[in-house]
């Protein structure tokens, strides 16, 4: 695992936000940085954060496993998050999820609260339900990587057209 | 004036009691109603309050009839005027519901569970009145697999109740951070390492988690929480100078398991894997079970009387032909005070010679000598417990997490709480990541570095002039010495940048209370005694003497190395450190023993070998020490002991040394005998026999009394009480020591009449009157001067946690499955230069000889430095170590050996097969 200098500089900046004897408080910002960079938190990443903050590896791992938002395995090339909170659920987010899975060839039968992510057979897409994505008036909404989509057509056709724009990149 | 009781008291169910500072509700209730009155699952007395399980919920009100609130008692601070209700219907119902929920995910196989009858969940469930679980069977974790990967530690997480006691024990007691909670909610579970097994995790098998676990979710292979034992005996560990108290569970004459007592001042429910788990050597099939006598060149079994007769005949003849000075004894720091006392008495009275020494010679003799010169007493000035009062810890040439694990973890815990820690060590030891300063010097340059530290303290004006003027002498000469130092030269010699040394000096000197610890990395050098005096200089110039949290504290190696010296197993001082060549002492000893006693200083261990080779020394008696494996320059030692006419060895096992004996006497181990050990903080503690001696063996004290009687000396039969009473009459600082007066916690000497001990030495004045400064300039070791050109690497040796000394005992326990061989640590840069890869077989050769072992690439050592241990006879590292010694005490220089290395291409076919178990 190679840490880019810019990431390390950012990490040091975050650590600097806390008093020197409370460095461990930077564990969450650092994990977010690493997950953003490497797409998931590997054992090496856990070790790097532990070393950086002078805490035990196992304490970092405890944080990683506590939050379902941190992934310990690689997601697909494009990670999709579908809002399932009330407004979107009523606007068809469960249908949208089914359509996206069918279209991307994703088996979600093993996903649960503690393992929320499912990856497509070819590794192109991964998907999970997310809590409110803050656009309740325009559901169903979803995100592909950092791109935000509103009033998504929840049918298979709608899902296809959404995913195709990534397939052909 | 009448004090308003409500300002200092609180009530428990209407009854008023005085509160203490630091009380939580639970501590307060425990103290007045007994532990268990308020049930709890996650709280344990050895751990900090946590508040996870809520079973200890109580109601609290600020007025007797005021509104009540339910709080968890374990982590709620107590305040005066509180009214606590421990038994209200509301809390009883709450507790019952919580425990009922816990039981929905716990197997109800109590009758066949190893902790049946000693399970805290079982006790709490009974206490709160559970009569059944109302919930239907749902999701659970009852199918979790057991972890039986480790030689000692086991886990069965189907029994886990997620109280986190084990995690906290690992963090708060041991400081190893091996256990943690993984995931959350229903899926939360305990993991080891990064979610692996005990065996693959960095667990050090201290067993603190197993002892803390309220169920059998984490346990050990000896099932130490089972109530199968019919008896528990409290005794003291034999493995190191910490002196942990142990509670040994037995059934009949079998040892089942060992735990650490909660109320022990020394170890507070903690100990290491040696104390807790390494006891199976006691009944190992290799134990000697009969005396052996050499007949026609071969050691053959004999009866005790035959062996004694053979000894009496030979020793009487040698004494008659060559005089008593032709006999020498080496006593054992593993044996009790009483046995050491008898051994020196046997040699001194039986042969009229002071040729008596002990293995302190090869470890802490420079400490005893150096501290006597500086302070007047050759022992730790303070107690390890003082760590809680100190503001700065300096560890010099010691690796306590390996050598003195309980002290090591206490130091680590203090460092984790922010107490500055200074490590002076050539290696990056386990404590370094927790340290504020690491001064990584070249081995053999302690004096250069410590002189520089003293210089910077002086330069910064951080000396305690009042202490120096009132309490010390020779300051002017010392100050002149500091002024004469050439800092550029010193920096080149020890290799640590001067800014780092200066920062550490200022840290140490500006702390309100600074405490120094040192180990064999200080003493086992050609300037070992001088280094000890240099450490004493630092303590005196900063006034860090005579109060809690300060001082100079040697980490004594063996369980009773302090006692062996106290009892007179030294050639220059008799029992109680009285100089043998002082006329008044000589008279005292002659009158006391009613015999002719020599007033000439006797031979130190290395001098015994020289005398044997020169033909002056004809007979030796060695108690419990394997000099062939542990003394430096093995070939030299072998030549010396084989040139003797007569050698007697008292041992548990056949050792490389015993192979040379004419008579081998089978001794009993510490678990099979009673007596006292004195730990590294001068604490005299009672050792209590746990089981009867193995058939055919006798306690060393009994052997010595029987031989003294047969040699015609008037010596009563052996009882530890009787010998202790004799010691109290001759050793001034044991004056008030009595067998019954030594309580469970032991007593720190000097023990005054009435059995009153002394926790801190030199409070108002030094034992010698004034503390004496000594200035020594750095001198290069002769080993380096003579051999560095030809052998460019410096090898330094040390110890690991899992094995004890030459491993005679630990290699015959499960520890041998954890660590199987000595390895050579080598910096990757050096390895690349020598074309050596990790695990390659390497030849290490010095001017004395060569040994082979596997390489372990590590940046814990600096380039040019090599490090290994000496626990395995298959490796016999001391073949390469030198006969260079401390100039003052002849303590060998194990820590600086000029060697060279090369990769071995063909594996060595002649290695001795390892022991089987």
């Amino acid at each position: 695992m190679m840490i880019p200098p810019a990431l390390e500089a950012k990490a040091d900046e975050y650590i600097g936000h806390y008093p020197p004897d409370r460095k461990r408080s930077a564990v969450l910002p650092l994990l977010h940085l690493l997950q953003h960079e490497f797409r998931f938190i590997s054992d090496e990443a856990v070790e790097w954060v532990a070393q950086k903050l002078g805490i035990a590896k196992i304490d970092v791992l405890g944080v990683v496993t506590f939050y379902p938002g941190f992934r310990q395995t690689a997601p697909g090339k494009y990670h999709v998050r579908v809002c399932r909170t009330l407004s979107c659920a009523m606007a068809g987010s469960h249908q949208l999820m089914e359509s996206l899975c069918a279209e991307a060839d994703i088996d979600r039968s093993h996903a649960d609260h503690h393992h929320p992510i499912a990856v497509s057979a070819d590794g192109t897409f991964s998907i999970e339900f997310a809590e409110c994505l803050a656009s309740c008036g325009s559901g169903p909404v979803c995100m592909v990587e950092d791109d935000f989509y509103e009033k998504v057509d929840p049918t298979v056709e709608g899902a296809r057209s959404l995913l195709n724009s990534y397939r052909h990149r | 004036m009448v004090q308003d009781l409500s300002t200092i008291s609180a009530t428990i169910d209407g009854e008023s009691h005085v509160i203490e500072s630091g009380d939580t509700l639970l501590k307060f209730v425990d103290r007045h109603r007994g532990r268990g009155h308020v049930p709890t699952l996650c709280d344990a007395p050895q751990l900090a309050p946590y508040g996870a399980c809520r079973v200890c919920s109580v109601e609290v009100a600020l007025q007797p009839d005021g509104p009540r609130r339910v709080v968890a008692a374990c982590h709620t601070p107590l305040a005066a005027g509180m009214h606590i209700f421990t038994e209200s219907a509301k809390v009883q119902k709450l507790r019952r519901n919580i425990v009922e929920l816990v039981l929905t995910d716990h197997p109800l196989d109590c009758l066949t569970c190893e902790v049946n009858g000693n399970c805290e969940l079982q006790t709490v469930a009974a206490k709160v009145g559970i009569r059944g679980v109302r919930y239907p069977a749902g999701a659970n974790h009852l199918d979790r697999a057991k972890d039986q990967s480790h030689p000692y530690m086991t886990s069965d997480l189907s029994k886990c109740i997620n109280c986190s006691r084990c995690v906290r024990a690992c963090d708060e007691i041991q400081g190893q951070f091996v256990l943690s909670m993984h995931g959350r909610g229903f899926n939360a579970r305990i993991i080891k390492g990064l979610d692996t097994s005990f065996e693959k995790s960095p667990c050090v098998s201290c067993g603190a988690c197993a002892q803390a676990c309220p169920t059998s979710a984490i346990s050990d292979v000896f099932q130490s929480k089972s109530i199968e034992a019919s008896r528990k005996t409290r005794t003291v560990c034999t493995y190191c100078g910490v002196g942990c108290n142990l509670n040994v569970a037995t059934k009949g004459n079998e040892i089942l398991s060992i735990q650490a007592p909660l109320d022990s001042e020394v170890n507070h429910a903690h100990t290491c894997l040696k104390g807790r788990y390494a006891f199976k050597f006691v009944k190992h099939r290799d134990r000697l079970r009969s005396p052996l006598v050499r007949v026609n060149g071969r050691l053959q079994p004999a009866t005790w009387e035959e062996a004694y007769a053979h000894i009496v005949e030979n020793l009487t003849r040698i004494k008659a032909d060559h005089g008593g000075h032709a006999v020498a004894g080496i006593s054992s720091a593993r044996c009790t005070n009483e046995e050491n006392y008898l051994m020196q008495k046997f040699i001194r009275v039986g042969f009229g010679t002071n040729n008596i020494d002990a293995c302190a010679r090869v470890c802490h003799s420079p400490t005893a000598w150096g501290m006597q010169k500086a302070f007047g007493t050759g022992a730790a000035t303070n107690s390890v417990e003082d760590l809680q009062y100190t503001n700065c810890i300096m560890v010099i040439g010691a690796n306590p997490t390996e050598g003195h694990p309980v002290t090591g973890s206490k130091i680590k815990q203090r460092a984790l709480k922010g107490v500055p820690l200074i490590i002076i060590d050539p290696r990056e030891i386990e404590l370094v990541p927790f340290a504020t300063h690491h001064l990584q010097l070249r081995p053999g340059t302690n004096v250069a570095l410590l002189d520089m530290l003293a210089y910077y303290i002086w330069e910064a004006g951080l000396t305690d002039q009042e202490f120096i003027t009132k309490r010390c002498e020779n300051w002017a000469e010392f100050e002149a010495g500091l002024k004469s130092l050439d800092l550029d030269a010193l920096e080149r010699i020890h290799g640590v940048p001067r800014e780092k040394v200066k920062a550490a000096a200022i840290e140490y000197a500006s702390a309100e209370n600074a405490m120094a610890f040192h180990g064999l990395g200080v003493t086992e050098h050609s300037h070992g005694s001088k280094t000890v005096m240099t450490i004493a200089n630092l303590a005196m110039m900063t006034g860090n003497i005579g109060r809690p949290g300060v001082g100079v504290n040697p980490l004594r190696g063996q369980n009773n190395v302090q006692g062996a010296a106290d009892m007179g197993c030294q050639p220059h001082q008799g029992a109680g450190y009285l100089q043998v060549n002082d006329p008044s002492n000589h008279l005292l000893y002659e009158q006391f023993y009613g015999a002719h006693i020599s007033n000439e200083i006797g031979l130190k261990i290395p001098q015994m070998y020289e005398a044997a080779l020169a033909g002056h020394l004809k007979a030796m008696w060695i108690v419990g020490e394997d000099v062939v494996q542990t003394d430096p320059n093995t070939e030299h030692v072998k030549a010396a002991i084989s040139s003797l006419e007569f050698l007697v060895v008292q041992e548990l096992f056949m050792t490389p040394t015993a192979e040379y004996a004419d008579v081998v006497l089978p001794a009993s181990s510490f678990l099979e005998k009673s007596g006292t050990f004195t730990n590294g903080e001068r604490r005299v503690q009672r050792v209590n026999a746990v089981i009867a001696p193995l058939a055919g063996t006798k306690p060393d004290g009994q052997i010595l009394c029987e031989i003294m009687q047969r040699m015609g000396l008037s010596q009563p039969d052996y009882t530890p009480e009787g010998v202790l009473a004799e010691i109290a009459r001759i050793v001034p600082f044991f004056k008030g020591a009595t067998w019954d007066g030594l309580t469970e916690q032991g007593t720190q000497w000097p023990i005054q009449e009435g059995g009153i001990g002394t926790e801190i030495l030199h409070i108002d004045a030094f034992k010698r009157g004034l503390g004496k400064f000594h200035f020594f300039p750095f001198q290069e070791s002769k080993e380096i001067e003579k051999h560095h050109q030809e052998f460019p690497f410096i090898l330094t040796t040390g110890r690991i946690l899992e094995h004890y000394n030459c491993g005679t005992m630990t290699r015959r326990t499960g520890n041998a499955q954890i660590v199987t061989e000595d390895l050579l640590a080598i910096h990757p840069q050096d390895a690349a230069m020598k074309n050596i890869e990790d695990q390659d077989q390497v030849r290490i050769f010095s001017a004395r000889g060569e040994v082979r072992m596997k390489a372990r690439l590590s940046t814990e050592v600096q380039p040019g430095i090599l490090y290994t241990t000496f626990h395995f006879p298959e490796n016999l590292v001391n073949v390469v170590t030198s006969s260079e010694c401390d100039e003052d005490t002849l303590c060998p220089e194990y820590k600086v050996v000029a060697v060279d290395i090369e990769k071995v291409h063909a594996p060595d076919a002649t290695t001795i097969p390892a022991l089987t178990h």
Side-chain angles (χ1 to χ4, degrees), chain A residues 43 46-47 56-59 61-63 65-68 72 112-115, chain B residues 171 176-188 191-195:
Chain A
D43 284 357
V46 167
E47 202 163 335
K57 282 186 277 189
I58 197 163
D59 287 345
L61 186 70
V63 174
T65 60
F66 184 83
Y67 293 106
Q72 286 185 278
D112 62 25
H113 179 65
H114 294 275
H115 307 92
Chain B
D171 294 358
Q176 210 64 25
F177 306 97
V178 173
L179 301 169
S180 184
M181 195 65 86
H182 183 284
R184 67 168 161 185
F186 183 71
N187 280 21
I191 55 163
K192 305 137 199 163
L194 295 185
D195 201 1

Side-chain angles (χ1 to χ4, degrees), chain B residues 173-174 205-208 211 237 244-246 258-260 267-277 405-406:
Chain B
I173 298 178
Q174 177 61 29
S205 344
C206 72
Q211 186 160 340
C237 180
C244 287
N245 289 207
L246 305 176
I258 296 181
Q259 285 206 318
N267 52 308
H268 309 281
H270 191 211
T271 184
C272 73
L273 83 163
K274 294 192 286 273
R276 200 187 289 269
Y277 296 133
V406 168

Side-chain angles (χ1 to χ4, degrees), chain B residues 491-503:
Chain B
E491 193 178 31
R492 272 197 307 279
I493 289 163
H494 60 58
V496 185
R498 66 181 72 187
E499 302 73 45
K500 284 188 154 192
V501 181
K502 187 173 180 178

